[in-house]
């Protein structure tokens, strides 16, 4: 049974910071998964935000958040987090944590096998 549970969403103002976290429970070692964050705004498709590669060591981001968001993972605690700084109203969305067993740089929805239930992030102007 694979379970991903997000937490930390909320309502903030433009320019503020917020951290969302994901607690993972896997039947295999956490470090064998790439961990990603996606988001879905109302009326829009779910989109890639950031990911931490399998076995760690490298991260990659969508251009829209590069320089503002930072993804991290703690393999000892089976957690992944997304630190979001300089938030903008267009960052408003439900944020989802996802896990992929693939090597390389998975960023497509179909490359991630497991998903959390999502946490709402709302940024007011």
């Amino acid at each position: 049974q694979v379970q991903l549970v997000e937490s930390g969403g909320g309502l903030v103002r433009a320019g503020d910071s917020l951290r969302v976290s994901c607690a993972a429970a896997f039947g295999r070692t956490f470090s064998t998964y790439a961990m990603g964050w996606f988001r879905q705004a109302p009326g829009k498709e779910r989109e890639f935000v950031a990911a931490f590669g399998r076995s760690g060591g490298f991260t990659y981001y969508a251009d829209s958040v590069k320089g503002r968001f930072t993804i991290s993972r703690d393999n000892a605690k089976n957690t992944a987090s997304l630190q979001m700084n300089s938030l903008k109203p267009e960052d408003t969305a439900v944020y989802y944590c996802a896990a992929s067993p693939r090597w390389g740089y998975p960023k497509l929805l179909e490359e991630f096998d497991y998903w959390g239930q999502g946490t709402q992030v709302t940024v007011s102007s």
Side-chain angles (χ1 to χ4, degrees), residues 11-12 18 24-25 30 38 43-44 46 54-55 61-62 64 70 77 81 88 97 108-109 113-115 122:
L11 172 62
V12 296
L18 193 66
F30 179 70
F38 291 75
K44 295 187 176 181
R46 193 171 299 188
R54 176 174 169 165
S55 79
Y61 300 88
S64 58
T70 302
K77 296 182 179 180
S81 297
K88 305 175 182 179
C97 172
L108 301 178
L109 272 67
D113 295 348
Y114 307 107
W115 294 83
T122 303

Side-chain angles (χ1 to χ4, degrees), residues 9-118:
L11 172 62
V12 296
R13 294 185 176 182
D16 284 352
S17 297
L18 193 66
R19 185 180 184 91
V20 290
S21 296
C22 174
F26 291 120
R28 51 191 263 194
T29 305
F30 179 70
S31 62
T32 62
Y33 288 91
M35 296 301 298
W37 286 95
F38 291 75
R39 66 186 181 187
Q40 187 166 18
K44 295 187 176 181
E45 295 185 350
R46 193 171 299 188
E47 64 176 5
F48 170 79
V49 175
F52 210 122
R54 176 174 169 165
S55 79
F58 64 94
T59 58
Y60 46 107
Y61 300 88
D63 288 343
S64 58
V65 306
K66 203 170 293 183
R68 300 188 298 122
F69 290 13
T70 302
I71 189 172
S72 60
R73 67 187 293 167
D74 186 332
N75 289 340
K77 296 182 179 180
N78 285 12
T79 59
S81 297
L82 185 69
Q83 176 67 40
M84 303 180 288
N85 298 329
S86 302
L87 281 161
K88 305 175 182 179
E90 51 263 43
D91 294 319
T92 295
V94 177
Y95 282 72
Y96 296 91
C97 172
S100 170
R102 292 163 178 79
W103 293 98
Y105 298 84
K107 60 171 58 178
L108 301 178
L109 272 67
E110 56 265 32
E111 294 180 303
F112 286 79
D113 295 348
Y114 307 107
W115 294 83
Q117 82 288 348

